[in-house]
Amino acid sequence: MFLDTSFLVNDEIQLRLKETVYGNIEKGWVPTYHFAICDKQGRQMGDCDLRIGHNLNTYYGGNIGYRIYEEYRGHHYAGKACLLLFELAKKHNMDHLIITCNPDNYASRKTCEYAGCHLVEIVELPEDNDMRINSGETEKCIYRIDLR
């Protein structure tokens, strides 16, 4: 199920695999890769993940998640990581990906745009959504990129 990820590198960053997690059908979780976003010297600058497959959880939570440590922000590292993750998603025969963020997270919205995604809609999270229950989040921007 999980593939080799050693190709996830460009002239600025490399994605180092930290772990893979199999899905859980009962909870609606899909298989996931977890990476450290590192510079060419191996210094970790953040984290990202790729969730393989589509369901209601990935529509609201996205196929990709990312976090850049504060001291490394402003260099498009999250967007560059997304571009690498798109290549891994293609190897899994995924034809599109969803990336979501909170409407007031302008940095994340810019990352989605940098990576070539387009805003599909801003939605209210369902009352039973885990992000709403556990974190008090109420809305998500839904971005999509077609990979084919």
Side-chain angles (χ1 to χ4, degrees):
M1 167 76 206
F2 292 104
L3 305 174
D4 173 58
T5 62
S6 60
F7 69 95
L8 297 175
V9 60
N10 66 23
D11 59 341
E12 287 185 78
I13 66 169
Q14 56 184 316
L15 303 185
R16 284 200 319 222
L17 184 64
K18 293 175 13 181
E19 70 173 324
T20 55
V21 179
Y22 288 97
N24 181 319
I25 293 172
E26 292 82 35
K27 293 184 179 183
W29 296 348
V30 296
T32 304
Y33 293 86
H34 294 276
F35 297 95
I37 302 171
C38 300
D39 63 15
K40 295 299 272 188
Q41 291 72 43
R43 182 178 31 236
Q44 187 170 346
M45 302 181 297
D47 302 288
C48 64
D49 55 68
L50 175 65
R51 296 179 276 284
I52 304 299
H54 299 288
N55 62 23
L56 204 53
N57 284 343
T58 59
Y59 188 75
Y60 292 120
N63 292 107
I64 290 179
Y66 45 77
R67 177 176 62 109
I68 301 297
Y69 303 151
E70 191 168 341
E71 62 268 27
Y72 297 106
R73 293 179 183 164
H75 302 280
H76 301 293
Y77 294 135
K80 292 169 185 174
C82 287
L83 295 174
L84 291 173
L85 292 175
F86 294 169
E87 297 307 310
L88 180 57
K90 288 177 189 177
K91 289 184 179 284
H92 279 280
N93 296 313
M94 296 182 71
D95 63 353
H96 73 279
L97 293 174
I98 300 292
I99 303 176
T100 69
C101 63
N102 292 337
D104 62 349
N105 186 340
Y106 298 107
S108 190
R109 292 180 78 162
K110 287 178 105 175
T111 293
C112 291
E113 292 164 7
Y114 174 90
C117 302
H118 68 274
L119 180 64
V120 175
E121 62 180 335
I122 299 176
V123 298
E124 184 172 334
L125 291 173
E127 294 293 329
D128 63 346
N129 182 276
D130 285 346
M131 291 179 287
R132 188 175 196 125
I133 294 167
N134 298 330
S135 304
E137 298 177 53
T138 57
E139 291 184 309
K140 287 290 175 182
C141 293
I142 310 293
Y143 284 88
R144 177 183 168 126
I145 182 130
D146 292 318
L147 300 175
R148 305 214 187 264

